């Protein structure tokens, strides 16, 4: 049998989503670090997406969508099986991200006083409102990164990235932990949400008619957003690199492979901000590396991948962003657009990013920039090719001992 996975993503019906919601309890991970500089930050970003050549030759349409804006980033991956029912799988992902951008930028653009009420109440209300604004039929997975400059740590303003993920799109944050002369190191990585662990049935946001699911009601999608989404709140610093991708990225590349590509394109010692064209080049390199995983090498061997040897042929979308200082130039472009929106005034963060002294002391594991602790650090089961092989080897030895 062929080693590469070629199956489309399957639509998950309302009943099955409802049963599995309790298995995807929302995790609000408070990752707090010491306050360093009181200045607003934003994203500088570029993205790249490409249908796998094999799928393109068969006439497959790309159903991925990307969002690249100064205060909010996103990747949405439309469920391709929807097209069997005559529905354009790309419409809902694109419409959803359009409203996420409009709502997010209207609430999050700094206007001189970062403490001023903005209407932002966190990523869950934002996604819910965006979904309720959409009209398209379809189904999609989603990951958003929202940069909030109004969060406080020890009474001082400190920018945070609120991450919300639904399904199997993922986000990775890398940081130079020992100053600008050090390598980019992974410090945060989301996890995929897949029902029963099946690679073709991720948790998803949907709006469908009787042709697909007679039992569907939009209440289940709202429930997915409010109870099934994974929410994290992560401190951010100038110079951090954010990588977002559809499952076509993180099913094919190990985290250390993504980090290697980042360090190759963005070497240590560089000045920031990085030219956006270079960020776009890195996004393209990542997508190309994903597609390369489905090709045999000179020896005829298929490369190893997190999903299995030979990876997965899939639409692949990637957004690469650098955290930079919000400048007057940004204000001239975005502040007038923000003032066109009228919102209620709220001071709270919907992620409940409240951090006390004990939380700050418990956290820290080597995740601060230069000047912080260097012990400990980020660990993820999908990090490395070598660690995966070692774990597999150790397990085999243990099984032999038990049978003996």
């Amino acid at each position: 049998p062929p080693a590469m996975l070629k199956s489309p993503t399957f639509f998950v019906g309302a009943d099955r989503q409802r049963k599995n919601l309790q298995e995807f309890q929302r995790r609000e991970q408070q990752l707090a670090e010491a306050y360093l500089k009181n200045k607003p930050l934003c994203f500088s970003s570029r993205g790249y997406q490409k249908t796998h050549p094999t799928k393109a030759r068969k006439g497959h349409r790309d159903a991925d969508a990307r969002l690249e804006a100064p205060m909010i980033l996103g990747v949405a991956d439309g469920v391709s099986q929807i097209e069997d029912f005559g529905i354009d799988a790309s419409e809902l992902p694109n419409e959803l991200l359009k409203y996420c951008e409009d709502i997010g930028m209207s609430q999050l653009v700094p206007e001189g006083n970062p403490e001023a009420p903005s209407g932002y109440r966190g990523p869950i209300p934002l996604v819910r409102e965006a979904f309720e604004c959409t009209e398209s039929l379809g189904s999609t997975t989603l990951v958003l990164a929202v940069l909030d400059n109004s969060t406080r740590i020890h009474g001082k303003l400190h920018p945070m990235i609120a991450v919300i993920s639904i399904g199997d799109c993922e986000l990775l944050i890398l940081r130079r932990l020992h100053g600008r002369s050090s390598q980019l190191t992974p410090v945060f990585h989301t996890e995929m949400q897949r029902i029963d662990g099946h690679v073709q049935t991720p948790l998803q946001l949907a709006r469908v008619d009787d042709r697909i699911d007679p039992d569907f009601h939009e209440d289940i999608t709202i429930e997915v957003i409010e109870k099934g989404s994974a929410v994290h709140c992560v401190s951010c610093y100038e110079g951090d690199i954010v990588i977002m991708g559809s499952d076509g990225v993180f099913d094919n590349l190990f985290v250390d492979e993504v980090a290697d590509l980042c360090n190759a394109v963005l070497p240590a010692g560089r000045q920031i901000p990085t030219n956006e064209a270079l960020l776009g080049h890195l996004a393209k390199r990542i997508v190309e590396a994903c597609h390369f995983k489905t090709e045999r090498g000179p020896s005829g061997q298929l490369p190893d991948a997190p999903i299995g040897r030979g990876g997965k042929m899939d639409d692949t979308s990637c957004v690469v962003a650098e955290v930079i200082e919000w400048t007057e130039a940004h204000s001239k472009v975005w502040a007038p657009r923000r003032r066109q929106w009228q919102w209620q005034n709220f001071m709270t963060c919907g992620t409940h990013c409240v951090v006390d002294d004990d939380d700050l002391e418990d956290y820290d594991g080597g995740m601060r920039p230069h000047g912080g602790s260097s012990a400990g650090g980020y660990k993820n089961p999908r990090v490395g090719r070598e660690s995966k092989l070692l774990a597999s080897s150790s397990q085999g030895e243990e099984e032999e001992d038990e049978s003996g």
Side-chain angles (χ1 to χ4, degrees), residues 293-321:
K293 283 296 187 82
T294 65
E295 301 175 6
R296 294 186 182 275
S299 64
Q301 289 275 339
L302 288 165
D304 195 15
I307 199 172
R309 191 169 291 279
K312 180 173 76 171
M313 290 191 287
D314 200 2
D315 298 336
T316 311
S317 295
C318 181
V319 171
V320 175

Side-chain angles (χ1 to χ4, degrees), residues 20-38:
N20 283 276
L21 270 176
Q22 52 189 316
E23 297 178 19
F24 292 116
Q25 294 180 352
R26 175 157 43 97
R27 282 169 273 175
E28 298 185 3
Q29 181 177 349
Q30 309 296 341
L31 298 180
E33 300 172 310
Y35 170 83
L36 290 183
K37 296 180 180 179
N38 186 6

Side-chain angles (χ1 to χ4, degrees), residues 360-373:
L360 191 68
E361 294 303 322
D362 291 341
Y363 175 64
D364 196 357
M367 293 173 65
R368 296 182 182 178
H370 185 55
S373 169

